[in-house]
């Protein structure tokens, strides 16, 4: 497995991979690194779709972190990441420097208006601007045919779908299911920050989701009742601070009054100093 560090190398590699009558290209899996089984599932899906033509990017993107956020201490585990990526079917790793992605004097950003201010965008101003900018740069540099993302970041998926469609980038977005620990906690690189006590408290996110799923299975459709029920679950973990609990349309991220099949139920909460997110698409 090769490690590429410049956009020119990535582009040249991608162009050399094009084949078939439809000019099938490469699959891209954008990540911040600190890879876990959730990332592994994306890489496996990419390798199944484009065997031998999978680029995994590992880049802790500074523009998607707020000034008070964890950019400096974000876990960086490059060697282990390369081993995991290779094992799961990555063909190359793209690991650029910050200067490679943001040349000195950079002043071009991608802003997906509206969507970027909802859910996580509301509590993390500028976050989705940073995400959209770096993913657009990666898709363009890699001339990616497919790009794989996790349902875990449901709002990110909505923002990026809009961006790809608006900019006519020509990359197809593939969304993979949330990978969880055996006890239900959604895998996240930030779980590494949790103390053993917080790790237990963090399960409240998944409990709230399961409660809402159970109520919907029993016929409850009222958004306010479902959100109240989820808030009730959070009261069992008084040390966990809710950021948002929302029932929204999965594409527009606008709140809905009534749950319908496919509606997105999403939560974000602070467990100690760690902000965690989780969600489900209702049946
Ligand atoms: P990150 O490195 O946190 O930016 O995540 C890179 C990609 O992995 C994103 O598309 C995430 O949605 C996805 N991802 C993160 N955690 C999980 C998970 N538990 N299950 C599935 N995908 C995930």
């Amino acid at each position: 497995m090769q490690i590429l560090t410049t956009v020119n190398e990535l582009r040249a590699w991608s162009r050399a991979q094009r084949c078939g009558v439809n000019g099938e290209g490469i699959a891209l899996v954008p990540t911040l690194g600190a890879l876990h089984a959730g990332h592994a599932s994306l890489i496996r899906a990419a390798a199944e779709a484009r065997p031998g033509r999978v680029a995994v990017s590992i880049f802790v993107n500074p523009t998607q972190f707020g000034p008070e956020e964890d950019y400096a201490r974000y876990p960086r585990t490059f060697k282990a990441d390369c081993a995991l990526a290779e094992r799961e079917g990555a063909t190359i790793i793209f690991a650029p420097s910050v200067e490679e992605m943001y040349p000195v004097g950079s002043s071009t950003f991608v802003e997906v208006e509206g969507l970027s201010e909802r859910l996580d965008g509301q509590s993390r101003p500028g976050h989705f601007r940073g995400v959209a900018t770096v993913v657009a740069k990666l898709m363009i540099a890699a001339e990616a045919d497919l790009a794989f993302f996790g349902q875990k970041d449901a709002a990110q998926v909505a923002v990026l779908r809009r961006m790809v469609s608006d900019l006519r980038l020509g990359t197809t977005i593939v969304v993979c299911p949330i990978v969880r620990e055996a006890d239900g906690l959604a895998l996240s690189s930030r779980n590494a920050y949790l103390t053993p006590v917080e790790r237990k408290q963090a399960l409240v996110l998944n409990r709230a989701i399961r409660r809402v799923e159970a109520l919907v299975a029993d016929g409850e459709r009222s958004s306010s009742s479902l959100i109240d029920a989820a808030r009730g679950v959070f009261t069992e973990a008084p040390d966990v601070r809710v950021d948002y609990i929302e029932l929204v349309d999965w594409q527009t991220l606008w709140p809905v009054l009534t749950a319908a099949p496919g509606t997105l139920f999403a939560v974000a909460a602070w467990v100690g100093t760690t902000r965690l997110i989780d969600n489900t698409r209702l049946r």
Side-chain angles (χ1 to χ4, degrees), residues 89-117:
T91 317
I92 63 121
I93 294 280
F94 181 54
S97 64
V98 172
E99 296 70 32
E100 181 67 15
M101 294 308 284
Y102 297 97
V104 176
S106 276
S107 57
T108 306
F109 293 88
V110 177
E111 186 103 41
V112 181
E113 293 183 355
L115 277 170
S116 293
E117 280 97 59

Short mmCIF file of all heavy atoms in Angstrom, two decimals, residues 89-117:
data_model
loop_
_atom_site.label_atom_id
_atom_site.label_comp_id
_atom_site.label_asym_id
_atom_site.label_seq_id
_atom_site.Cartn_x
_atom_site.Cartn_y
_atom_site.Cartn_z
N GLY A 89 -8.47 -3.26 2.91
CA GLY A 89 -8.57 -3.19 1.45
C GLY A 89 -8.23 -1.85 0.83
O GLY A 89 -8.53 -1.63 -0.35
N ALA A 90 -7.60 -0.95 1.60
CA ALA A 90 -7.18 0.33 1.00
C ALA A 90 -6.04 0.08 0.01
O ALA A 90 -5.19 -0.77 0.25
CB ALA A 90 -6.71 1.29 2.09
N THR A 91 -6.05 0.81 -1.09
CA THR A 91 -4.97 0.69 -2.08
C THR A 91 -3.90 1.74 -1.81
O THR A 91 -2.71 1.45 -1.89
CB THR A 91 -5.53 0.89 -3.50
OG1 THR A 91 -6.76 0.19 -3.61
CG2 THR A 91 -4.55 0.41 -4.55
N ILE A 92 -4.34 2.94 -1.49
CA ILE A 92 -3.40 4.00 -1.11
C ILE A 92 -3.97 4.77 0.09
O ILE A 92 -5.18 4.79 0.32
CB ILE A 92 -3.11 5.01 -2.25
CG1 ILE A 92 -4.38 5.77 -2.65
CG2 ILE A 92 -2.49 4.35 -3.46
CD1 ILE A 92 -4.24 7.24 -2.48
N ILE A 93 -3.04 5.39 0.82
CA ILE A 93 -3.42 6.34 1.87
C ILE A 93 -3.04 7.71 1.33
O ILE A 93 -1.94 7.89 0.78
CB ILE A 93 -2.60 6.10 3.16
CG1 ILE A 93 -2.93 4.76 3.80
CG2 ILE A 93 -2.80 7.25 4.15
CD1 ILE A 93 -4.18 4.74 4.61
N PHE A 94 -3.94 8.66 1.47
CA PHE A 94 -3.60 10.04 1.14
C PHE A 94 -3.47 10.80 2.45
O PHE A 94 -4.46 10.95 3.19
CB PHE A 94 -4.68 10.66 0.25
CG PHE A 94 -4.37 12.08 -0.14
CD1 PHE A 94 -3.16 12.41 -0.75
CD2 PHE A 94 -5.29 13.10 0.09
CE1 PHE A 94 -2.86 13.72 -1.09
CE2 PHE A 94 -5.02 14.41 -0.25
CZ PHE A 94 -3.80 14.72 -0.86
N ALA A 95 -2.24 11.22 2.76
CA ALA A 95 -1.97 11.88 4.04
C ALA A 95 -1.26 13.21 3.77
O ALA A 95 -0.04 13.31 3.88
CB ALA A 95 -1.11 10.98 4.92
N PRO A 96 -2.02 14.22 3.39
CA PRO A 96 -1.40 15.51 3.04
C PRO A 96 -1.05 16.33 4.27
O PRO A 96 -1.59 16.10 5.36
CB PRO A 96 -2.51 16.20 2.24
CG PRO A 96 -3.77 15.68 2.86
CD PRO A 96 -3.49 14.27 3.30
N SER A 97 -0.17 17.30 4.09
CA SER A 97 0.09 18.28 5.15
C SER A 97 -1.02 19.33 5.10
O SER A 97 -1.76 19.41 4.11
CB SER A 97 1.44 18.97 4.89
OG SER A 97 1.35 19.69 3.67
N VAL A 98 -1.09 20.14 6.13
CA VAL A 98 -2.08 21.23 6.13
C VAL A 98 -1.79 22.19 4.96
O VAL A 98 -2.71 22.64 4.26
CB VAL A 98 -2.06 21.99 7.49
CG1 VAL A 98 -2.94 23.23 7.43
CG2 VAL A 98 -2.53 21.07 8.61
N GLU A 99 -0.50 22.45 4.70
CA GLU A 99 -0.13 23.39 3.61
C GLU A 99 -0.51 22.82 2.24
O GLU A 99 -0.80 23.57 1.31
CB GLU A 99 1.38 23.68 3.63
CG GLU A 99 1.86 24.39 4.87
CD GLU A 99 1.84 23.52 6.14
OE1 GLU A 99 2.03 22.28 6.02
OE2 GLU A 99 1.60 24.05 7.22
N GLU A 100 -0.51 21.50 2.12
CA GLU A 100 -0.89 20.89 0.84
C GLU A 100 -2.38 21.12 0.56
O GLU A 100 -2.78 21.40 -0.56
CB GLU A 100 -0.57 19.39 0.85
CG GLU A 100 -0.89 18.64 -0.43
CD GLU A 100 -0.02 19.04 -1.62
OE1 GLU A 100 1.04 19.68 -1.42
OE2 GLU A 100 -0.41 18.71 -2.76
N MET A 101 -3.19 20.99 1.61
CA MET A 101 -4.64 21.16 1.43
C MET A 101 -5.04 22.63 1.44
O MET A 101 -6.04 23.01 0.83
CB MET A 101 -5.41 20.40 2.53
CG MET A 101 -5.26 18.89 2.47
SD MET A 101 -5.61 18.21 0.83
CE MET A 101 -7.40 18.28 0.79
N TYR A 102 -4.29 23.44 2.19
CA TYR A 102 -4.58 24.88 2.29
C TYR A 102 -3.32 25.66 1.96
O TYR A 102 -2.62 26.12 2.87
CB TYR A 102 -5.09 25.23 3.70
CG TYR A 102 -6.39 24.54 4.04
CD1 TYR A 102 -6.41 23.36 4.78
CD2 TYR A 102 -7.61 25.06 3.59
CE1 TYR A 102 -7.60 22.72 5.08
CE2 TYR A 102 -8.81 24.41 3.88
CZ TYR A 102 -8.79 23.24 4.63
OH TYR A 102 -9.97 22.61 4.92
N PRO A 103 -3.01 25.81 0.66
CA PRO A 103 -1.79 26.54 0.29
C PRO A 103 -1.81 27.94 0.93
O PRO A 103 -2.88 28.51 1.15
CB PRO A 103 -1.88 26.63 -1.24
CG PRO A 103 -2.84 25.57 -1.65
CD PRO A 103 -3.78 25.36 -0.50
N VAL A 104 -0.62 28.43 1.21
CA VAL A 104 -0.50 29.75 1.85
C VAL A 104 -1.36 30.76 1.08
O VAL A 104 -1.32 30.82 -0.15
CB VAL A 104 0.98 30.21 1.85
CG1 VAL A 104 1.12 31.62 2.42
CG2 VAL A 104 1.81 29.21 2.64
N GLY A 105 -2.16 31.50 1.81
CA GLY A 105 -3.02 32.51 1.18
C GLY A 105 -4.38 31.97 0.77
O GLY A 105 -5.18 32.70 0.18
N SER A 106 -4.67 30.70 1.09
CA SER A 106 -5.97 30.11 0.72
C SER A 106 -7.13 31.00 1.13
O SER A 106 -7.19 31.45 2.28
CB SER A 106 -6.16 28.77 1.45
OG SER A 106 -5.53 27.74 0.77
N SER A 107 -8.05 31.24 0.20
CA SER A 107 -9.20 32.08 0.57
C SER A 107 -10.49 31.56 -0.09
O SER A 107 -11.46 32.30 -0.20
CB SER A 107 -8.93 33.52 0.17
OG SER A 107 -8.65 33.59 -1.20
N THR A 108 -10.47 30.29 -0.51
CA THR A 108 -11.65 29.72 -1.16
C THR A 108 -12.27 28.67 -0.25
O THR A 108 -11.58 27.75 0.19
CB THR A 108 -11.25 29.08 -2.51
OG1 THR A 108 -10.57 30.06 -3.29
CG2 THR A 108 -12.47 28.58 -3.26
N PHE A 109 -13.55 28.85 0.05
CA PHE A 109 -14.25 27.91 0.92
C PHE A 109 -15.58 27.50 0.31
O PHE A 109 -16.11 28.22 -0.53
CB PHE A 109 -14.48 28.54 2.30
CG PHE A 109 -13.19 28.76 3.05
CD1 PHE A 109 -12.47 29.94 2.87
CD2 PHE A 109 -12.68 27.78 3.88
CE1 PHE A 109 -11.27 30.13 3.54
CE2 PHE A 109 -11.48 27.96 4.54
CZ PHE A 109 -10.77 29.14 4.37
N VAL A 110 -16.08 26.35 0.73
CA VAL A 110 -17.38 25.90 0.23
C VAL A 110 -18.39 26.04 1.37
O VAL A 110 -18.20 25.49 2.46
CB VAL A 110 -17.31 24.43 -0.22
CG1 VAL A 110 -18.68 23.94 -0.67
CG2 VAL A 110 -16.29 24.27 -1.35
N GLU A 111 -19.43 26.78 1.11
CA GLU A 111 -20.44 27.06 2.13
C GLU A 111 -21.78 26.50 1.64
O GLU A 111 -22.30 26.96 0.64
CB GLU A 111 -20.53 28.58 2.32
CG GLU A 111 -21.43 29.02 3.43
CD GLU A 111 -20.63 29.45 4.67
OE1 GLU A 111 -19.60 30.11 4.51
OE2 GLU A 111 -21.08 29.10 5.77
N VAL A 112 -22.29 25.50 2.32
CA VAL A 112 -23.61 24.97 1.98
C VAL A 112 -24.59 25.69 2.89
O VAL A 112 -24.74 25.34 4.07
CB VAL A 112 -23.66 23.43 2.17
CG1 VAL A 112 -25.03 22.89 1.79
CG2 VAL A 112 -22.56 22.76 1.36
N GLU A 113 -25.23 26.71 2.36
CA GLU A 113 -26.04 27.58 3.21
C GLU A 113 -27.27 26.85 3.75
O GLU A 113 -27.80 25.95 3.11
CB GLU A 113 -26.47 28.83 2.42
CG GLU A 113 -25.27 29.70 2.09
CD GLU A 113 -25.66 30.98 1.36
OE1 GLU A 113 -26.86 31.15 1.02
OE2 GLU A 113 -24.77 31.81 1.13
N GLY A 114 -27.72 27.27 4.88
CA GLY A 114 -28.94 26.69 5.48
C GLY A 114 -28.63 25.40 6.19
O GLY A 114 -28.54 25.35 7.43
N LEU A 115 -28.41 24.33 5.42
CA LEU A 115 -28.13 23.02 6.02
C LEU A 115 -26.98 23.08 7.02
O LEU A 115 -26.99 22.40 8.04
CB LEU A 115 -27.74 22.03 4.92
CG LEU A 115 -28.89 21.36 4.15
CD1 LEU A 115 -28.33 20.62 2.95
CD2 LEU A 115 -29.63 20.40 5.06
N SER A 116 -26.00 23.91 6.72
CA SER A 116 -24.80 23.97 7.58
C SER A 116 -25.07 24.60 8.93
O SER A 116 -24.21 24.57 9.81
CB SER A 116 -23.68 24.76 6.89
OG SER A 116 -23.24 24.05 5.77
N GLU A 117 -26.27 25.19 9.10
CA GLU A 117 -26.56 25.82 10.40
C GLU A 117 -27.47 24.94 11.25
O GLU A 117 -27.87 25.32 12.33
CB GLU A 117 -27.24 27.18 10.21
CG GLU A 117 -26.28 28.31 9.86
CD GLU A 117 -26.20 28.55 8.37
OE1 GLU A 117 -27.24 28.86 7.77
OE2 GLU A 117 -25.09 28.42 7.80
#
